[in-house]
């Protein structure tokens, strides 16, 4: 967030949010996701992803699953991995 100067913009967007106004909440969530998606990934993260994909798929293209992840997602008694987003049968590093 800091690299792409999003932290302050996101804080401003979410300041004084009324969580009972579901239309406004959905709109602000859409705006926040769009900001993050438009920022993209740092080049070094992209390079690491491409290298890991190439290592897994040594014979060329292969199909992988991509899932959301966050800290404390996998606890000893529960797992919430992939709860936010999961993409199956992703082929190619892009």
């Amino acid at each position: 967030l800091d690299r792409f100067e999003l932290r302050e913009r996101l804080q401003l967007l979410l300041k004084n949010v009324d969580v009972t106004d579901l239309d406004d909440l959905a709109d602000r969530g859409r705006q926040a996701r769009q900001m993050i998606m438009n920022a993209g990934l740092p080049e070094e993260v992209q390079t690491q992803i491409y290298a890991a994909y190439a290592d897994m798929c040594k014979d060329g293209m292969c199909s992988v699953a991509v899932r959301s992840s966050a800290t404390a997602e996998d606890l000893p008694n529960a797992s919430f991995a992939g709860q936010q987003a999961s993409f199956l049968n992703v082929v190619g590093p892009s």
Side-chain angles (χ1 to χ4, degrees), residues 29-85:
R30 182 193 54 74
Q31 289 180 58
R33 283 188 299 279
Q34 196 61 50
M35 282 184 207
I36 292 167
M37 294 296 291
N38 288 344
L41 292 172
E43 189 174 327
E44 61 269 18
V45 173
Q46 290 181 39
T47 300
Q48 291 175 3
I49 291 170
Y50 296 156
Y53 182 83
D55 190 48
M56 285 189 307
C57 305
K58 293 184 178 170
D59 296 329
M61 300 292 227
C62 66
S63 176
V64 299
V66 180
R67 66 178 186 142
S68 64
S69 185
T71 58
E73 230 179 31
D74 294 313
L75 303 172
N77 298 324
S79 177
F80 303 99
Q83 182 177 10
Q84 304 306 315

